[in-house]
Amino acid sequence: MKFKELGLDNRLMKNLDHYSFKNATEIQQQAIPVALAGKDLLASSKTGSGKTLAFVLPMLHKALKSKAFSAKDPRGVILAPTRELARQVYGELRTMLGGLSYTATLIVGGENFNDQVKALRKYPRFIVATPGRLADHLEHRSLFLDGLDTLVLDEADRMLDLGFAPELMRIHKLAKHRRRQTLMFSATLDHAEVHDMAMEMLNAPKRISIESGNAHHTDIDQKFYLCDHLDHKEALLHRIIADADYNQIMIFTATRSDTERLTVELNKLNLKAVALSGGLTQTQRNTIMSQFERTVFKILVTTDIASRGIDIANVSHVINFDMPKHTEEYVHRVGRTGRAGNKGMALSLVGPKDWDSFKRVESFLQQDLTFDVLEGLKGKFKGIKPKKPAFRGKANKTNKKPTAAKKVAKKPVKRDKTFHTNVAVGDAVFIPKKKTPPKIDD
């Protein structure tokens, strides 16, 4: 299906020429008509499927074709779990706003609060934000959502995993009116909290699922390597990088300290590497991402903050130095490569501490994953076998000697009692003697 068949406003069609897109992706084909009809939407699609335009286009079309509820309140709010994803969505929104009379602003944590208040006082028509910072502005009454047309929740599952449920409910209640349209996108529709929140926030939503997260990505070659310990992991990492014919590499770790340590080691090998983690200021994070996009650095070592919202076609390799805690994050990490029709390579290092995460990923992908071996770096670790369940049939035999039966105390012998003038004797019963009455003298 071509975009022109979707019935979008001609001004949006003109801006779409910037992307050189003619045909809509599957999620766009199914989601845009539902959103244009004014219905609430609960949708799932894999990373890199074009879902950002699937909610940006109908949101802007609605603003162009209908009258605003309020002259000051924003017409559309898009919520994203991380600053990086919010920034990427904001960039695409700005592109689609080209030539239109609407303004947009980005509201995320880590940036000056007062500067954001000044930007909100200019009454932008569209806001892209992270839930925590937007909730702060609502609490300080620097923003009102009484006249909100469209509320979009991008990567709702990730926002819930990060603990933003209270903020999302607060935003929902402050923007709750009968004509608000809500579009919720999630990596999976099987997430229990996503289902509960959809029941609370959406009104009779249309459900759409395009290529579930466990679908095999044909453009990405996935490999797994067993590791004995940390030194073995680092040796494998160095060999993989040395042998790889790469453009740019993203390496995912579990902790901030690992990102810094690995970056120092890679730079000692004259590899252009930079570390990205949540401990940096927003300005530092923006600078690093800008440099990586411009290929100033060839290798980005990062935590899961970069697993979503990074759309760089030049990333040819993704390396999981540590397996992710949340299964869905594996799909998002791997999805940083193999984008825009390019081929990608995803390599994961699995040590004893990663084994449980690996098995969950294997179950989620519904595939029997095998391990590769690099010559000279084969380890001893073969995985962890599941514990055998205890046999509940016959009682387990033991070599313990039978314990002797406890001796039963003898009962006391009953005494033979006799009776004298109907009074029992033999139990020390006191028998009073009869007293003779005293004599009385005349």
Side-chain angles (χ1 to χ4, degrees):
M1 181 182 290
K2 296 184 181 299
F3 278 108
K4 63 181 181 181
E5 300 176 46
L6 294 172
L8 294 166
D9 189 278
N10 289 332
R11 287 166 285 186
L12 298 177
M13 292 300 302
K14 184 178 179 180
N15 288 338
L16 274 174
D17 293 338
H18 174 81
Y19 289 94
S20 299
F21 293 158
K22 299 297 181 184
N23 298 326
T25 64
E26 192 171 358
I27 183 63
Q28 292 163 358
Q29 292 177 33
Q30 295 198 34
I32 290 176
V34 173
L36 290 179
K39 297 179 180 178
D40 284 4
L41 177 65
L42 177 58
S44 170
S45 67
K46 69 177 184 178
T47 180
S49 61
K51 62 180 173 57
T52 303
L53 286 180
F55 56 74
V56 166
L57 289 173
M59 180 182 69
L60 296 182
H61 178 90
K62 183 178 181 180
L64 290 168
K65 296 296 184 181
S66 63
K67 190 176 180 179
F69 297 141
S70 169
K72 296 182 178 181
D73 296 343
R75 301 205 63 177
V77 168
I78 303 172
L79 298 176
T82 65
R83 303 171 191 176
E84 284 68 30
L85 180 55
R87 190 168 297 279
Q88 184 219 335
V89 172
Y90 179 68
E92 293 198 38
L93 175 62
R94 287 287 301 273
T95 301
M96 294 309 302
L97 285 174
L100 304 179
S101 59
Y102 296 132
T103 57
T105 191
L106 179 67
I107 303 295
V108 296
E111 296 187 350
N112 189 280
F113 190 88
N114 291 328
D115 289 343
Q116 292 176 350
V117 171
K118 293 177 182 178
L120 291 172
R121 284 176 181 169
K122 296 178 181 179
Y123 306 121
R125 296 288 83 186
F126 300 98
I127 296 174
V128 181
T130 48
R133 180 51 64 94
L134 190 72
D136 290 341
H137 281 287
L138 290 170
E139 185 177 350
H140 285 80
R141 301 179 67 81
S142 51
L143 171 68
F144 297 92
L145 300 178
D146 300 320
L148 185 66
D149 282 352
T150 307
L151 176 63
V152 179
L153 289 85
D154 191 14
E155 305 287 7
D157 57 323
R158 180 63 171 155
M159 285 192 277
L160 293 172
D161 288 339
L162 291 173
F164 284 126
E167 288 79 4
L168 293 175
M169 291 307 300
R170 194 181 314 157
I171 294 168
H172 162 64
K173 290 177 180 178
L174 292 174
K176 192 174 182 180
H177 58 82
R178 60 185 181 84
R179 296 183 64 184
R180 187 196 82 196
Q181 183 181 21
T182 307
L183 309 177
M184 182 181 291
F185 288 77
S186 173
T188 174
L189 300 184
D190 298 329
H191 197 293
E193 288 185 86
V194 169
H195 178 268
D196 293 342
M197 180 154 287
M199 294 290 290
E200 178 71 24
M201 298 179 66
L202 276 64
N203 179 28
K206 171 72 175 178
R207 296 171 64 94
I208 296 175
S209 181
I210 307 295
E211 292 188 8
S212 61
N214 58 9
H216 180 64
H217 201 312
T218 56
D219 292 332
I220 302 175
D221 186 12
Q222 302 178 54
K223 292 187 177 182
F224 299 84
Y225 299 90
L226 288 170
C227 310
D228 293 339
H229 41 66
L230 183 59
D231 291 340
H232 190 195
K233 267 192 179 184
E234 293 180 358
L236 284 167
L237 177 65
H238 295 160
R239 173 72 69 82
I240 289 170
I241 295 176
D243 294 347
D245 181 17
Y246 63 89
N247 296 322
Q248 285 182 289
I249 298 177
M250 291 183 69
I251 301 174
F252 287 95
T253 66
T255 64
R256 299 175 186 176
S257 59
D258 281 340
T259 62
E260 297 169 0
R261 180 178 56 80
L262 287 177
T263 301
V264 171
E265 292 182 5
L266 294 173
N267 284 321
K268 288 180 180 178
L269 300 174
N270 296 322
L271 300 171
K272 293 183 178 180
V274 65
L276 177 69
S277 68
L280 303 174
T281 65
Q282 187 60 48
T283 302
Q284 291 172 322
R285 288 161 70 168
N286 295 343
T287 301
I288 290 171
M289 285 310 307
S290 175
Q291 291 174 331
F292 187 63
E293 288 177 9
R294 292 183 284 112
T295 65
V296 174
F297 295 100
K298 302 282 283 186
I299 300 174
L300 177 68
V301 188
T302 178
T303 56
D304 276 333
I305 64 169
S307 66
R308 309 188 188 205
I310 306 299
D311 190 4
I312 302 175
N314 207 35
V315 175
S316 57
H317 289 66
V318 166
I319 300 175
N320 290 310
F321 187 81
D322 298 304
M323 293 295 287
K325 293 181 180 179
H326 300 287
T327 308
E328 293 82 1
E329 285 306 311
Y330 174 82
V331 178
H332 288 284
R333 287 182 179 186
V334 169
R336 297 310 100 201
T337 186
R339 303 181 74 85
N342 296 319
K343 298 292 182 180
M345 177 76 72
L347 308 104
S348 301
L349 309 182
V350 182
K353 293 182 179 180
D354 302 296
W355 186 252
D356 288 342
S357 297
F358 166 76
K359 295 304 290 183
R360 287 195 295 269
V361 167
E362 185 178 47
S363 176
F364 179 76
L365 297 178
Q366 298 178 9
Q367 300 176 30
D368 292 328
L369 302 176
T370 58
F371 294 97
D372 288 86
V373 177
L374 293 178
E375 186 177 353
L377 289 174
K378 184 178 181 179
K380 297 179 181 179
F381 178 61
K382 304 298 181 185
I384 300 174
K385 294 182 179 180
K387 295 180 179 180
K388 293 182 178 180
F391 184 65
R392 296 183 179 180
K394 298 180 180 179
N396 295 331
K397 294 182 179 180
T398 58
N399 295 325
K400 292 182 179 180
K401 295 181 179 180
T403 55
K406 294 182 178 179
K407 293 182 179 180
V408 181
K410 293 182 179 180
K411 294 181 179 180
V413 179
K414 290 184 179 181
R415 295 181 182 181
D416 182 21
K417 300 178 181 180
T418 58
F419 289 85
H420 175 71
T421 62
N422 295 327
V423 178
V425 295
D427 280 341
V429 179
F430 175 71
I431 303 175
K433 294 181 179 180
K434 291 182 179 181
K435 293 182 178 180
T436 55
K439 291 181 180 181
I440 300 174
D441 295 333
D442 293 335

